[in-house]
Amino acid sequence: MRNTRALAAAGAAVAVLGVAAPAAVADGGRVPNPSNIVALPSVIARGGQLTITVDGCPNGGHATSNAFERTNLTPVSGGNDAGRGGLDAGRGGIDAGRGGNDTARGTATIHQDARPGSYDITVHCSGRSLTRPAAFTVIGGVRGGIGGSSATGATPTDMAIGGSLVAAAVVGSGVFWMRRRAEKRI
């Protein structure tokens, strides 16, 4: 009787390992590592939206930087590595068996008070972290709709320069007109 129970327990253990082994082999038996952090656009104005894409992050995670708040990364759905335009489908269906891909994506909004310069992005997913130095560059904000002018209007210096140009145009026109008039008399 004891031998039968021991044999049944051993058989159950072998069955569990037999079911778990193909799953481990199909995933390569590896823990995914975040890799290939892409930030688009690579040059962005304050207040703009930055799209962050990370490979090797199948369960999502989050991205951090000094230029934006912590941003959640969600897995990209779809098969055959849709994040790469289906390039892996032609490699004999390597990624086709996964039912999806290991890519995650998120959108961050750059702080309005971010200083111009290069910023790093650190990604955290599956208990691992990866930092991409100088992942994107923030440029000064754009004042859209007012033609790039300042809110204070023209300065006294601007007015003096403009007045001088108008005066020079009037004097030059007068001299030209007087000269043409003198030529017609001859």
Side-chain angles (χ1 to χ4, degrees):
M1 186 67 119
R2 288 184 183 174
N3 289 337
T4 306
R5 286 184 187 165
L7 187 59
V14 168
V16 168
L17 287 176
V19 170
V25 171
D27 192 30
R30 64 178 175 82
V31 175
N33 286 323
S35 64
N36 194 27
I37 300 171
V38 178
L40 293 175
S42 60
V43 177
I44 188 166
R46 291 178 260 181
Q49 290 194 329
L50 184 73
T51 301
I52 304 162
T53 306
V54 183
D55 291 337
C57 199
N59 301 319
H62 66 273
T64 58
S65 177
N66 291 334
F68 56 81
E69 297 292 324
R70 176 179 160 155
T71 301
N72 290 327
L73 302 172
T74 57
V76 176
S77 61
N80 296 335
D81 205 75
R84 294 185 189 160
L87 294 176
D88 288 336
R91 294 193 326 203
I94 292 172
D95 287 342
R98 293 186 192 172
N101 58 36
D102 291 347
T103 303
R105 184 174 294 138
T107 303
T109 302
I110 304 300
H111 294 302
Q112 289 290 345
D113 60 350
R115 292 182 175 239
S118 295
Y119 286 89
D120 301 346
I121 294 178
T122 301
V123 171
H124 307 276
C125 54
S126 301
R128 301 193 182 216
S129 297
L130 177 67
T131 299
R132 179 174 175 205
F136 64 98
T137 302
V138 174
I139 58 174
V142 177
R143 295 182 143 198
I146 60 173
S149 65
S150 64
T152 59
T155 64
T157 305
D158 294 335
M159 296 298 286
I161 292 170
S164 299
L165 290 172
V166 170
V170 168
V171 170
S173 297
V175 169
F176 178 76
W177 182 71
M178 293 296 282
R179 186 170 170 208
R180 292 285 293 174
R181 188 171 173 198
E183 288 177 0
K184 286 185 179 178
R185 287 187 187 172
I186 298 178

